[in-house]
Amino acid sequence: MSTKEFIDIALMQRVLMEIAKLDQVTATLRKTKRIIQDLALHDSLAIPTLRTTLDNCELEIGYQENQYRVLRNLYETYERELNQTEKIRCQEYLEKNKEFFREATIFREFANSYKGYLPRNVPQLKEKVRNLLAEKGFVVDGYFEGDYVTWIGVYARPEDKPTYLDPTNEKEAYLQNKHRVDGFKQDFAEWFEWEIKDNEIIV
Protein backbone atom coordinates (compact mmCIF):
# COMPACT_ATOMS: atom_id res chain seq x y z
CA MET A 1 0.00 0.00 0.00
CA SER A 2 1.40 3.38 -0.99
CA THR A 3 1.60 6.32 1.39
CA LYS A 4 -1.14 8.06 -0.58
CA GLU A 5 -3.45 5.06 -0.30
CA PHE A 6 -2.73 4.78 3.43
CA ILE A 7 -3.52 8.47 3.96
CA ASP A 8 -6.78 8.10 2.08
CA ILE A 9 -7.94 5.04 4.02
CA ALA A 10 -6.46 5.61 7.49
CA LEU A 11 -6.93 9.36 7.66
CA MET A 12 -9.15 11.05 5.10
CA GLN A 13 -12.01 8.55 4.95
CA ARG A 14 -12.15 8.44 8.73
CA VAL A 15 -11.97 12.22 8.98
CA LEU A 16 -15.00 12.58 6.71
CA MET A 17 -16.93 10.00 8.72
CA GLU A 18 -16.01 11.59 12.04
CA ILE A 19 -17.02 15.09 10.92
CA ALA A 20 -20.57 13.82 10.43
CA LYS A 21 -20.42 11.72 13.60
CA LEU A 22 -19.31 14.67 15.73
CA ASP A 23 -22.36 16.67 14.65
CA GLN A 24 -24.60 13.76 15.63
CA VAL A 25 -22.95 13.17 19.01
CA THR A 26 -22.92 16.87 19.90
CA ALA A 27 -26.62 17.12 19.07
CA THR A 28 -27.33 13.96 21.09
CA LEU A 29 -25.60 15.34 24.18
CA ARG A 30 -27.65 18.54 24.00
CA LYS A 31 -30.89 16.63 23.45
CA THR A 32 -30.14 14.20 26.28
CA LYS A 33 -29.63 17.07 28.71
CA ARG A 34 -33.02 18.54 27.78
CA ILE A 35 -34.78 15.18 28.15
CA ILE A 36 -33.26 14.48 31.57
CA GLN A 37 -34.11 17.96 32.82
CA ASP A 38 -37.70 17.63 31.60
CA LEU A 39 -38.17 14.19 33.18
CA ALA A 40 -36.70 15.40 36.47
CA LEU A 41 -38.96 18.45 36.42
CA HIS A 42 -42.02 16.21 36.12
CA ASP A 43 -40.73 13.62 38.64
CA SER A 44 -40.63 10.98 35.90
CA LEU A 45 -36.88 10.38 35.83
CA ALA A 46 -36.16 6.77 36.82
CA ILE A 47 -32.76 6.26 38.43
CA PRO A 48 -31.77 3.18 36.34
CA THR A 49 -32.67 5.07 33.17
CA LEU A 50 -30.64 8.07 34.31
CA ARG A 51 -27.57 5.97 35.08
CA THR A 52 -27.74 4.00 31.84
CA THR A 53 -28.22 7.16 29.76
CA LEU A 54 -25.33 9.00 31.40
CA ASP A 55 -23.05 5.95 31.14
CA ASN A 56 -23.83 5.54 27.43
CA CYS A 57 -23.10 9.21 26.78
CA GLU A 58 -19.81 8.97 28.65
CA LEU A 59 -18.81 5.95 26.55
CA GLU A 60 -19.56 7.91 23.38
CA ILE A 61 -17.56 10.89 24.62
CA GLY A 62 -14.64 8.61 25.45
CA TYR A 63 -14.79 7.03 21.99
CA GLN A 64 -14.70 10.42 20.28
CA GLU A 65 -11.79 11.54 22.45
CA ASN A 66 -9.85 8.44 21.42
CA GLN A 67 -10.66 8.99 17.74
CA TYR A 68 -9.42 12.56 18.04
CA ARG A 69 -6.08 11.47 19.49
CA VAL A 70 -5.56 8.90 16.73
CA LEU A 71 -6.56 11.14 13.83
CA ARG A 72 -4.70 14.17 15.10
CA ASN A 73 -1.55 12.07 15.41
CA LEU A 74 -1.99 10.82 11.84
CA TYR A 75 -2.62 14.36 10.60
CA GLU A 76 0.53 15.70 12.25
CA THR A 77 2.55 12.76 10.92
CA TYR A 78 1.41 13.05 7.29
CA GLU A 79 0.56 16.76 7.03
CA ARG A 80 3.31 17.40 4.48
CA GLU A 81 1.89 14.68 2.24
CA LEU A 82 -1.61 16.19 2.13
CA ASN A 83 -2.96 18.34 -0.67
CA GLN A 84 -4.77 21.59 0.05
CA THR A 85 -8.25 20.05 -0.02
CA GLU A 86 -7.22 17.31 2.41
CA LYS A 87 -5.69 19.86 4.76
CA ILE A 88 -8.91 21.88 4.74
CA ARG A 89 -10.91 18.77 5.60
CA CYS A 90 -8.58 17.92 8.47
CA GLN A 91 -8.77 21.46 9.80
CA GLU A 92 -12.55 21.25 9.62
CA TYR A 93 -12.41 18.08 11.70
CA LEU A 94 -10.16 19.72 14.29
CA GLU A 95 -12.52 22.70 14.53
CA LYS A 96 -15.51 20.38 14.93
CA ASN A 97 -13.71 18.78 17.84
CA LYS A 98 -13.34 22.11 19.60
CA GLU A 99 -17.12 22.48 19.60
CA PHE A 100 -17.54 18.86 20.65
CA PHE A 101 -15.06 19.18 23.53
CA ARG A 102 -16.89 22.26 24.82
CA GLU A 103 -20.19 20.38 24.73
CA ALA A 104 -18.63 17.28 26.31
CA THR A 105 -17.25 19.38 29.19
CA ILE A 106 -20.66 20.96 29.76
CA PHE A 107 -22.34 17.55 29.63
CA ARG A 108 -19.91 16.01 32.12
CA GLU A 109 -20.57 18.86 34.54
CA PHE A 110 -24.29 18.30 34.00
CA ALA A 111 -23.94 14.54 34.60
CA ASN A 112 -21.92 15.18 37.75
CA SER A 113 -24.74 17.36 39.10
CA TYR A 114 -27.06 14.34 38.88
CA LYS A 115 -24.88 12.04 40.97
CA GLY A 116 -26.95 10.89 43.91
CA TYR A 117 -30.11 12.13 42.21
CA LEU A 118 -33.41 11.20 43.86
CA PRO A 119 -36.90 12.27 42.78
CA ARG A 120 -38.33 15.09 44.91
CA ASN A 121 -41.03 12.88 46.41
CA VAL A 122 -38.64 10.23 47.80
CA PRO A 123 -38.92 11.40 51.45
CA GLN A 124 -42.72 11.14 51.24
CA LEU A 125 -42.52 7.68 49.65
CA LYS A 126 -40.15 6.44 52.35
CA GLU A 127 -42.40 7.80 55.08
CA LYS A 128 -45.39 6.07 53.47
CA VAL A 129 -43.47 2.78 53.46
CA ARG A 130 -42.54 3.20 57.12
CA ASN A 131 -46.21 3.74 58.00
CA LEU A 132 -47.29 0.70 55.97
CA LEU A 133 -44.68 -1.42 57.70
CA ALA A 134 -45.70 -0.11 61.12
CA GLU A 135 -49.26 -1.24 60.42
CA LYS A 136 -47.86 -4.75 59.92
CA GLY A 137 -45.71 -4.53 63.04
CA PHE A 138 -42.44 -4.11 61.13
CA VAL A 139 -39.65 -1.52 61.12
CA VAL A 140 -37.17 -0.69 58.35
CA ASP A 141 -33.98 -2.71 58.70
CA GLY A 142 -31.89 -1.73 55.69
CA TYR A 143 -31.45 0.71 52.84
CA PHE A 144 -34.32 1.64 50.55
CA GLU A 145 -34.05 0.43 46.97
CA GLY A 146 -35.92 1.12 43.74
CA ASP A 147 -36.19 3.71 41.02
CA TYR A 148 -38.81 5.60 43.07
CA VAL A 149 -40.89 6.04 39.93
CA THR A 150 -42.20 2.53 39.31
CA TRP A 151 -41.20 0.66 42.49
CA ILE A 152 -39.70 0.90 45.97
CA GLY A 153 -38.49 -1.81 48.31
CA VAL A 154 -36.72 -2.32 51.62
CA TYR A 155 -35.82 -4.99 54.17
CA ALA A 156 -37.79 -4.79 57.41
CA ARG A 157 -38.00 -6.82 60.62
CA PRO A 158 -40.68 -7.38 63.27
CA GLU A 159 -40.69 -4.63 65.88
CA ASP A 160 -39.99 -7.09 68.69
CA LYS A 161 -37.04 -8.74 66.93
CA PRO A 162 -33.44 -7.47 66.81
CA THR A 163 -31.60 -6.18 63.79
CA TYR A 164 -28.98 -8.37 62.15
CA LEU A 165 -26.94 -5.24 61.55
CA ASP A 166 -24.55 -3.78 64.10
CA PRO A 167 -26.61 -2.55 67.08
CA THR A 168 -26.73 1.21 67.58
CA ASN A 169 -27.77 1.24 71.25
CA GLU A 170 -27.93 -0.95 74.36
CA LYS A 171 -31.51 -2.06 73.70
CA GLU A 172 -30.66 -3.36 70.23
CA ALA A 173 -27.56 -5.10 71.60
CA TYR A 174 -29.62 -6.74 74.35
CA LEU A 175 -32.27 -8.01 71.90
CA GLN A 176 -29.63 -9.28 69.52
CA ASN A 177 -27.89 -11.27 72.26
CA LYS A 178 -31.23 -12.53 73.60
CA HIS A 179 -32.14 -14.11 70.26
CA ARG A 180 -28.77 -15.66 69.48
CA VAL A 181 -28.79 -19.34 68.59
CA ASP A 182 -25.63 -21.27 69.42
CA GLY A 183 -23.87 -17.94 69.71
CA PHE A 184 -24.94 -16.72 66.28
CA LYS A 185 -27.16 -13.67 65.81
CA GLN A 186 -30.33 -14.22 63.80
CA ASP A 187 -31.62 -12.41 60.74
CA PHE A 188 -35.35 -11.67 61.03
CA ALA A 189 -35.52 -9.23 58.13
CA GLU A 190 -37.98 -9.76 55.28
CA TRP A 191 -38.12 -8.10 51.88
CA PHE A 192 -41.05 -5.77 51.15
CA GLU A 193 -41.73 -4.19 47.78
CA TRP A 194 -44.44 -1.96 46.32
CA GLU A 195 -45.33 -0.64 42.91
CA ILE A 196 -45.56 3.10 42.38
CA LYS A 197 -48.01 4.78 40.03
CA ASP A 198 -48.50 8.51 39.58
CA ASN A 199 -46.12 9.11 42.51
CA GLU A 200 -48.30 7.02 44.82
CA ILE A 201 -47.54 3.63 46.36
CA ILE A 202 -49.98 0.95 45.24
CA VAL A 203 -51.22 -0.88 48.33
Side-chain angles (χ1 to χ4, degrees):
M1 180 184 295
S2 67
T3 300
K4 186 63 178 175
E5 290 173 330
F6 177 79
I7 290 174
D8 181 58
I9 295 173
L11 178 59
M12 297 314 304
Q13 289 185 23
R14 291 171 65 183
V15 161
L16 293 175
M17 289 175 56
E18 289 304 315
I19 287 175
K21 185 69 180 296
L22 281 171
D23 285 336
Q24 294 174 2
V25 175
T26 301
T28 296
L29 294 179
R30 291 170 178 163
K31 181 179 179 180
T32 300
K33 280 174 50 185
R34 292 195 299 270
I35 291 174
I36 289 175
Q37 289 170 329
D38 185 63
L39 289 173
L41 180 63
H42 294 89
D43 294 321
S44 299
L45 180 58
I47 294 174
T49 300
L50 172 65
R51 290 173 179 167
T52 300
T53 301
L54 294 181
D55 287 347
N56 288 341
C57 287
E58 179 58 35
L59 285 174
E60 189 61 56
I61 291 173
Y63 171 80
Q64 293 302 327
E65 289 175 333
N66 183 63
Q67 287 294 100
Y68 172 76
R69 286 190 291 269
V70 172
L71 293 179
R72 180 171 182 174
N73 182 61
L74 286 172
Y75 171 66
E76 292 175 348
T77 301
Y78 294 100
E79 183 177 3
R80 293 183 180 180
E81 307 291 333
L82 302 179
N83 60 41
Q84 190 61 29
T85 300
E86 290 170 335
K87 288 182 180 180
I88 291 174
R89 285 297 188 187
C90 287
Q91 287 298 324
E92 180 183 355
Y93 170 70
L94 296 177
E95 286 300 314
K96 285 282 185 183
N97 266 281
K98 290 181 181 179
E99 179 185 359
F100 166 74
F101 287 142
R102 284 195 297 269
E103 194 61 40
T105 298
I106 293 171
F107 186 85
R108 280 172 166 160
E109 292 173 352
F110 170 80
N112 190 58
S113 71
Y114 273 82
K115 285 184 177 179
Y117 166 82
L118 291 174
R120 288 179 295 181
N121 64 332
V122 167
Q124 291 87 347
L125 292 174
K126 289 182 177 180
E127 185 61 26
K128 176 69 173 179
V129 166
R130 290 189 180 95
N131 292 336
L132 290 171
L133 289 170
E135 292 174 4
K136 298 175 181 290
F138 282 76
V139 294
V140 170
D141 195 37
Y143 294 105
F144 283 89
E145 299 180 35
D147 60 17
Y148 303 103
V149 174
T150 62
W151 71 280
I152 184 173
V154 70
Y155 280 99
R157 59 179 169 81
E159 293 176 340
D160 61 343
K161 293 296 189 294
T163 178
Y164 185 78
L165 307 174
D166 292 335
T168 58
N169 54 52
E170 291 184 5
K171 181 180 179 181
E172 288 185 356
Y174 170 77
L175 282 174
Q176 200 172 79
N177 289 327
K178 178 182 177 181
H179 288 83
R180 285 180 183 271
V181 176
D182 296 329
F184 294 97
K185 59 184 180 179
Q186 301 300 297
D187 187 0
F188 296 97
E190 299 178 30
W191 176 253
F192 292 85
E193 184 176 315
W194 293 266
E195 291 184 12
I196 299 173
K197 186 175 182 180
D198 297 328
N199 294 324
E200 294 292 336
I201 293 175
I202 306 300
V203 181

